[in-house]
Amino acid sequence: MKPRGHKKAGSSIVEQAAILTAASLLARFLGFIYRVPLTGRIGDEGNGLYAISYNLYLFFFVLSAAGLPAAISKMVGERVALGRQKDAYNVFKVSLIIATVLGAVSMLILFFGAGFFSELVRSPRSYYSIMTLAPTVLIVAIMGVFRGYFLGIGNAVPNAASQIVDQAFNAVFSVVCAWLLMESTTGDKIALGAAGGTLGTGIGAAAGLVFLLYIFYMSYPAIKATINGDQNGGTERKTDIGKILLRTAFPIIIGTAVFSITNVIDMSMINERLINGAGLSLETATELYGRFSGKYVTLSALPTSISTAFASVAIPSIATSHILKNKLAVEQKANMLMRISMILSIPAAVGMGVLANPLLLLLFRGYPEGGSLLTLGATSIVFLSVTQITTGILQGIGKVKIPVFAAIAGALVKIPVNYVLLGIPGININGAVISTTVFYMVTSGVDWYFLRKYTGFRPDFVGIIAKPLAASAFMGVTVLAVYYTIYAFTGINALACPAAVVIGMVSYLAGLLAIGGITKEDASQISFLRGFAKYLK
């Protein structure tokens, strides 16, 4: 079988990533928008309780099924590339059984152990939030199987649409449920409001799963016809598929679990060190954690949804090139993915860093504190993006254990840094931001080293780093000048901040075009830029 042409493959991977990126950005935007009225209702303290329960939920989800979507998309993509459609579909069926069992067990442990876990993380008020989030573990585990299968067969549309449905329902019901629970009680309104927010998360996930089931039902005749026409597959036993799936997913789960465990340690350590080290009260510590998780983490996650989408698409696409032994295509895809990710994440980091305080004042008028966290941690956006892309590429070529070691190395550095800095009164919560940035720096560095070792990857540093950084520096100066000029004349942040953002985006694109940061090849591989490609070098 001849390897696929790299241009066609490159176009496909960018198109699929563009679909996921657009949906992911919209979903993240919806997910962020509802946090504004929710924060107005439950405050930074409620955000802290919400984040504590959500991190515990993530931990159990990671242990049960977080590695399955990536493993499924990789295994399905490999079998589709070899024309083994029956085996690809059997991967889906076996995965569904495994995910349902693991998700159900994790759900029951989290639900019935809510009291124990809330005491363990020194936040007894998070009890209700933990309970309401427990069913979401099972729902999202099953949803991940469908997303992994669709991505493996080269169809990113169901994944993209389900993300939007998920977050749209989440946005509405999180606020509604929080309001209803707070109005219906005379007890701890903040804790019940946070539980309402987590209940909305579960409702959104359920809506996303129902949508995927409908799409699968509508697609099944075409899937069945493809399977019936397969003359090559059907030779793998389902028990063997299950073993391969678990063997593939396990290192991914462990690697993701390191991130999740680190977040749980963060969560416990922040309360303990801010209280016993920095001398703050429990309420103040919870409030500061709410700023860290509800503002810094939430806002910095918006631009990294781009690299998340590219990493998801990279796994099956690079796995296909790797199994066909097309080393040139692997390197070209790696360079392209890294370049486009940096073109988008570097300006996001710069823009968020220089406009941190105006952004929070615009978005959280009642609770605008926390701008220093965004400014301090903006660079983590770039390192997290690199981590996600390199992890996706390494998983695609079968080196699934390396991201595990990289994450462990990052955690071993982060934890002591976090412990020391959080206990210093003048640094306090800023220590969590600094240690997070250090964590992603170490992780991305280890990933990058092994990526070069095993693929011979020769990155185009000028195109990947230098040009986006130069254009972003120009944009940063422009943004500051525009914001403070308009604010000086009007005194209206709601006018100056959006204007600075829009003009900043235009100035970045102009600067990037002026120095050749976007090439004809980049534009020719993205449908909505193809008409513009003839004007580029």
Side-chain angles (χ1 to χ4, degrees):
M1 180 177 291
K2 292 181 180 180
R4 295 177 181 176
H6 73 270
K7 196 161 189 173
K8 180 179 178 182
S11 178
S12 174
I13 193 174
V14 174
E15 292 292 356
Q16 295 293 308
I19 292 169
L20 277 182
T21 297
S24 185
L25 283 174
L26 179 56
R28 289 286 178 94
F29 178 73
L30 290 171
F32 171 74
I33 285 297
Y34 86 85
R35 295 298 292 269
V36 176
L38 186 63
T39 300
R41 190 71 182 164
I42 65 177
D44 285 335
E45 189 179 357
N47 268 337
L49 297 174
Y50 180 101
I52 288 168
S53 59
Y54 193 79
N55 279 328
L56 282 169
Y57 148 77
L58 281 180
F59 175 71
F60 278 90
F61 166 67
V62 165
L63 292 182
S64 63
L68 289 180
I72 294 165
S73 67
K74 179 180 184 295
M75 290 177 64
V76 170
E78 289 172 344
R79 283 152 183 77
V80 168
L82 297 174
R84 292 160 50 191
Q85 301 288 348
K86 291 179 182 177
D87 291 329
Y89 187 67
N90 283 336
V91 170
F92 164 74
K93 292 195 292 185
V94 172
S95 304
L96 196 56
I97 296 171
I98 293 173
T100 301
V101 172
L102 293 176
V105 171
S106 295
M107 174 189 70
L108 293 172
I109 293 173
L110 189 59
F111 183 84
F112 290 107
F116 168 77
F117 292 117
S118 63
E119 293 292 341
L120 183 66
V121 297
R122 303 186 181 188
S123 179
R125 296 171 68 204
S126 63
Y127 171 78
Y128 297 109
S129 299
I130 295 170
M131 284 186 66
T132 54
L133 261 179
T136 311
V137 178
L138 175 60
I139 296 168
V140 177
I142 296 172
M143 185 159 52
V145 175
F146 285 91
R147 287 178 172 174
Y149 178 69
F150 278 121
L151 204 56
I153 62 176
N155 186 2
V157 175
N159 295 28
S162 67
Q163 286 184 47
I164 296 172
V165 171
D166 181 342
Q167 284 301 324
F169 275 79
N170 184 10
V172 173
F173 283 96
S174 290
V175 178
V176 170
C177 291
W179 183 83
L180 288 174
L181 288 178
M182 291 181 76
E183 290 297 316
S184 64
T185 183
T186 56
D188 192 339
K189 290 182 179 292
I190 297 297
L192 287 172
T198 58
L199 180 59
T201 300
I203 294 172
L209 177 58
V210 170
F211 176 82
L212 277 174
L213 289 170
Y214 172 74
I215 294 297
F216 183 80
Y217 172 77
M218 297 299 293
S219 305
Y220 186 72
I223 294 171
K224 188 175 181 180
T226 304
I227 294 170
N228 291 338
D230 176 19
Q231 302 299 319
N232 302 317
T235 58
E236 279 186 292
R237 294 188 303 174
K238 291 182 180 179
T239 52
D240 292 334
I241 288 175
K243 291 176 183 177
I244 296 170
L245 179 69
L246 292 175
R247 194 162 59 242
T248 304
F250 184 71
I252 300 174
I253 290 173
I254 296 302
T256 312
V258 174
F259 286 88
S260 183
I261 292 170
T262 303
N263 286 335
V264 173
I265 293 173
D266 244 0
M267 183 172 59
S268 302
M269 189 183 293
I270 285 173
N271 270 353
E272 193 276 331
R273 293 298 292 154
L274 290 181
I275 295 169
N276 297 325
L280 304 178
S281 66
L282 175 61
E283 291 75 16
T284 302
T286 304
E287 186 176 328
L288 288 176
Y289 183 66
R291 292 178 194 171
F292 170 75
S293 60
K295 294 172 182 175
Y296 163 68
V297 174
T298 301
L299 281 170
S300 62
L302 282 172
T304 58
S305 60
I306 298 167
S307 55
T308 302
F310 274 88
S312 299
V313 175
I315 295 171
S317 179
I318 288 181
T320 299
S321 298
H322 180 68
I323 202 168
L324 295 175
K325 302 186 186 305
N326 191 343
K327 293 183 68 174
L328 178 61
V330 170
E331 185 171 347
Q332 288 172 331
K333 288 176 183 179
N335 252 311
M336 177 182 58
L337 288 164
M338 192 70 70
R339 185 170 66 252
I340 295 176
S341 178
M342 291 300 100
I343 282 174
L344 297 171
S345 63
I346 291 176
V350 172
M352 201 166 288
V354 299
L355 280 182
N357 286 313
L359 279 171
L360 292 188
L361 181 60
L362 177 69
L363 298 170
F364 302 98
R365 292 188 62 184
Y367 298 90
E369 298 84 3
S372 62
L373 303 182
L374 274 179
T375 300
L376 185 62
T379 53
S380 67
I381 294 171
V382 177
F383 292 111
L384 175 55
S385 296
V386 174
T387 298
Q388 290 171 327
I389 294 295
T390 52
T391 296
I393 297 169
L394 286 166
Q395 289 172 351
I397 63 171
K399 302 296 182 182
V400 293
K401 293 180 181 178
I402 291 173
V404 178
F405 297 129
I408 291 172
L412 289 176
V413 176
K414 173 186 169 63
I415 291 172
V417 171
N418 208 27
Y419 183 86
V420 172
L421 295 182
L422 283 168
I424 300 174
I427 298 178
N428 58 72
I429 195 64
N430 292 300
V433 177
I434 295 169
S435 67
T436 299
T437 304
V438 171
F439 174 69
Y440 290 127
M441 287 175 65
V442 174
T443 305
S444 61
V446 174
D447 274 349
W448 190 287
Y449 170 80
F450 283 104
L451 179 63
R452 292 197 64 179
K453 178 178 179 179
Y454 287 110
T455 66
F457 174 52
R458 296 181 296 277
D460 171 22
F461 281 110
V462 173
I464 292 174
I465 302 295
K467 290 182 178 180
L469 190 58
S472 296
F474 171 67
M475 178 203 72
V477 173
T478 304
V479 162
L480 286 174
V482 170
Y483 175 79
Y484 285 107
T485 299
I486 295 177
Y487 190 77
F489 281 99
T490 66
I492 303 174
N493 180 71
L495 176 63
C497 186
V501 170
V502 172
I503 295 174
M505 292 169 63
V506 173
S507 67
Y508 174 70
L509 181 59
L512 204 60
L513 289 171
I515 60 177
I518 299 178
T519 66
K520 183 187 288 271
E521 183 182 3
D522 294 333
S524 66
Q525 292 178 352
I526 305 175
S527 58
F528 60 86
L529 288 179
R530 282 178 190 145
F532 190 62
K534 61 184 178 181
Y535 300 106
L536 300 175
K537 294 182 181 180

